Amino acid sequence: MLILLLLVIIFGASCVFIWQARENKRFLQTRFDQVIGLRQLIFLLRFHRRESHHFLSQSHPLEATQSNEVIAIKSLMKILSSQADQAHKPMYRVLAKQINKLLGEWSSYSVRRNQAAHGKAIRHVLYLIDDVITQSLLSADKETLFKTYQTAWPITLNAIDSLSRFRYAIDSYTLGKNSSKRELRMHISVIQRRLGQIALLTNKPPLTFMIEDLMLEFESINLQARNLEDVKGELYQLSLKISDTIFNLFDIILTDIATDISVRFPELQHTSSNVVAFQKTPNLYSISH
């Protein structure tokens, strides 16, 4: 009788353990489904920023129209807002208001204001991702993974801020002014170091790009060209490659986390057409800023 009772208790405990494990995994998957949607929102916002930048950079821009990505952004925002936890609802309301204003008014912005407005919206989405990832790792009791993520997160934000300053320097660039060249080179050096720091925190090196040629590509741009707009155009194209690489590296960090806690997280396709390689240099991977 005692043996039977013990078997019943063990069986019951096992059932509870299995049920709890399944519930925890279901909870984590729900959280990461939200992260997947937020990641897609960042992709759409970054695409819209590029398209609107091209539009505003034209000498005689055509009339703005309701593009497919605008419709996709609005639809995705509605879905994400409806699925958000109650605690996150206020942040989503603020984000929706911010994005709707951006999508409705960007055609009247300057190039610089357009970049800043998109950057602000993207940062808001990143903070939502950070909140979800942080809570997920804490509930999954992944202390080591949590510490790694907490190291990668501020470096990623710093890299994005450095890229914003690089773009600001591009917009302010003056031909023949040595201080303008030095400023651009300084920002490239800082970005290169921070990307190297993020790459060190991934479980495996990126397969489609390595941190190798950023400074070489920068140095290959003729900053003394007669046409200022051509110079700015080349520098801006370089900034797009840097942006792709920052977000691809951050996505690898998220993928590593999803793999560790065994949840579904479809990988983005990284191709050589939308990433840039960067050069390893002495002390590149020191964590100091």
Side-chain angles (χ1 to χ4, degrees):
M1 184 67 181
L2 182 59
I3 294 176
L4 180 60
L5 181 59
L6 287 173
L7 289 174
V8 170
I9 293 173
I10 292 171
F11 176 76
S14 299
C15 289
V16 170
F17 177 81
I18 293 171
W19 174 84
Q20 189 174 39
R22 286 178 178 173
E23 286 299 304
N24 287 340
K25 186 170 182 179
R26 187 179 294 114
F27 170 78
L28 289 173
Q29 186 62 67
T30 300
R31 289 295 183 89
F32 264 79
D33 286 344
Q34 194 78 356
V35 172
I36 292 169
L38 290 168
R39 177 179 64 168
Q40 183 65 20
L41 182 59
I42 287 178
F43 176 85
L44 290 170
L45 286 170
R46 292 178 64 233
F47 183 82
H48 184 268
R49 177 169 61 185
R50 297 183 186 198
E51 293 295 301
S52 57
H53 177 91
H54 176 72
F55 177 94
L56 294 171
S57 298
Q58 296 179 66
S59 300
H60 303 286
L62 302 172
E63 183 180 354
T65 58
Q66 181 87 329
S67 60
N68 289 334
E69 67 267 16
V70 169
I71 297 171
I73 289 169
K74 290 181 177 180
S75 299
L76 183 55
M77 267 306 307
K78 288 181 180 179
I79 294 171
L80 290 171
S81 297
S82 66
Q83 295 176 345
D85 292 340
Q86 199 62 36
H88 290 146
K89 292 285 187 184
M91 289 184 69
Y92 275 95
R93 283 194 291 270
V94 172
L95 178 61
K97 184 177 180 181
Q98 184 179 355
I99 287 178
N100 286 332
K101 177 180 173 65
L102 170 63
L103 297 179
E105 299 180 3
W106 69 266
S107 59
S108 64
Y109 291 172
S110 65
V111 169
R112 181 177 293 183
R113 184 181 178 188
N114 184 60
Q115 287 286 339
H118 279 85
K120 185 178 179 181
I122 289 169
R123 279 176 178 79
H124 193 126
V125 181
L126 282 170
Y127 278 111
L128 278 167
I129 290 177
D130 174 60
D131 199 42
V132 173
I133 294 294
T134 299
Q135 291 183 20
S136 298
L137 292 178
L138 289 174
S139 20
D141 198 23
K142 297 285 185 177
E143 183 177 354
T144 301
L145 200 58
F146 176 76
K147 288 180 178 178
T148 300
Y149 173 74
Q150 287 294 297
T151 301
W153 168 246
I155 300 174
T156 302
L157 288 185
N158 287 337
I160 293 172
D161 289 340
S162 295
L163 175 58
S164 296
R165 286 190 282 272
F166 178 61
R167 283 176 167 162
Y168 186 88
I170 293 172
D171 191 54
S172 307
Y173 182 70
T174 303
L175 286 176
K177 194 173 181 180
N178 289 330
S179 59
S180 291
K181 297 182 208 173
R182 286 195 301 268
E183 184 181 7
L184 289 170
R185 188 173 287 105
M186 176 195 69
H187 291 312
I188 288 292
S189 179
V190 172
I191 291 168
Q192 186 179 45
R193 183 174 71 250
R194 286 176 174 158
L195 289 171
Q197 293 166 2
I198 301 170
L200 273 184
L201 296 170
T202 60
N203 285 341
K204 58 183 179 180
L207 297 178
T208 54
F209 59 94
M210 293 296 290
I211 302 188
E212 293 175 353
D213 297 327
L214 175 56
M215 190 60 74
L216 291 176
E217 185 160 350
F218 170 71
E219 296 290 357
S220 72
I221 297 174
N222 182 11
L223 299 178
Q224 299 299 327
R226 292 183 178 181
N227 191 317
L228 177 61
E229 293 308 312
D230 287 347
V231 174
K232 288 186 175 182
E234 286 190 59
L235 289 168
Y236 180 70
Q237 288 302 312
L238 177 58
S239 79
L240 293 181
K241 293 180 181 180
I242 295 170
S243 177
D244 285 334
T245 302
I246 291 172
F247 283 95
N248 286 339
L249 282 170
F250 183 62
D251 197 72
I252 290 172
I253 295 288
L254 298 181
T255 301
D256 288 346
I257 292 171
T259 300
D260 196 283
I261 61 178
S262 302
V263 295
R264 181 184 64 86
F265 194 71
E267 289 190 30
L268 291 178
Q269 295 299 314
H270 307 301
T271 65
S272 58
S273 62
N274 68 353
V275 295
V276 66
F278 300 100
Q279 177 67 42
K280 292 182 181 178
T281 57
N283 299 322
L284 174 63
Y285 299 137
S286 65
I287 297 299
S288 62
H289 296 161

